[in-house]
Amino acid sequence: FGGVWSVTRKMAPSEDEVREVFICYDLESTGVLPIDDACAAVRALGYNPPQAPLSELAGKSAAGTRTLTITQFKKLVDECEKKGFGSTEGLKEAFTLFQKGAPNITGAELKTILCSMGEHMREKNGDELLQLADIGLDSPLTWETFLKKSCTPVTK
């Protein structure tokens, strides 16, 4: 999953990291990001906010425009940090619900979590993520193993 899907952010990004991500997503070097690209850039920094609140935060930051400057983008990142959007708590809660007291869940149950919770992922994308993480549909998976696999860079 790592590099494809980030589940947690251990600490706030540095100002240099924020600037670097902004520049990477400012494909036309205009000094502004369309809100949709800004949302993707926030996720690239390791935050996992739901789309609706993120768009709302971006909309407030942009003061009616559909683009964000670097200053507005930094404010958006700060808001994500304040609201705890880099946390794994929501995902852990869903994971625990599927465990039903068992020590693990299956790859199929993880796929259900990925495809039905929060931002709905397509089944095809869920299958690709499981394949990248080398998790079979019948494979047992503990929370700790899931975190380890999700934070490991993809080498395939």
Side-chain angles (χ1 to χ4, degrees), residues 1-132:
F1 293 94
V4 176
W5 184 58
S6 175
V7 294
T8 188
R9 173 116 201 136
K10 301 236 186 281
M11 55 192 274
S14 70
E15 195 165 320
D16 288 340
E17 285 178 298
V18 173
R19 186 177 16 269
E20 183 179 334
V21 167
F22 183 90
I23 290 168
C24 287
Y25 280 83
D26 181 12
L27 300 175
E28 297 177 17
S29 299
T30 59
V32 295
L33 291 182
I35 287 180
D36 289 343
D37 291 346
C39 293
V42 164
R43 286 188 173 86
L45 284 166
Y47 296 100
N48 295 304
Q51 185 65 35
L54 184 59
S55 296
E56 183 181 315
L57 285 173
K60 286 179 184 173
S61 297
T65 66
R66 299 296 303 159
T67 59
L68 297 178
T69 64
I70 183 71
T71 302
Q72 292 166 325
F73 180 68
K74 286 178 185 177
K75 287 179 184 175
L76 178 61
V77 171
D78 289 343
E79 281 297 311
C80 286
E81 185 68 27
K82 286 179 196 170
K83 293 190 181 284
F85 288 142
S87 162
T88 60
E89 290 309 307
L91 188 57
K92 184 175 184 180
E93 186 177 316
F95 195 95
T96 303
L97 285 173
F98 274 84
Q99 280 180 298
K100 301 173 194 157
N104 55 51
I105 67 171
T106 65
E109 290 169 321
L110 176 59
K111 180 180 168 186
T112 299
I113 293 170
L114 295 173
C115 294
S116 64
M117 307 289 288
E119 294 298 311
H120 293 262
M121 180 182 289
R122 293 186 179 139
E123 282 203 33
K124 175 184 162 198
N125 298 111
D127 289 333
E128 288 173 359
L129 285 173
L130 291 177
Q131 184 179 7
L132 283 171

Side-chain angles (χ1 to χ4, degrees), residues 138-149:
D138 294 326
S139 300
L141 191 64
T142 64
W143 174 249
E144 292 76 19
T145 303
F146 170 70
L147 279 181
K148 182 179 177 186
K149 286 183 177 270

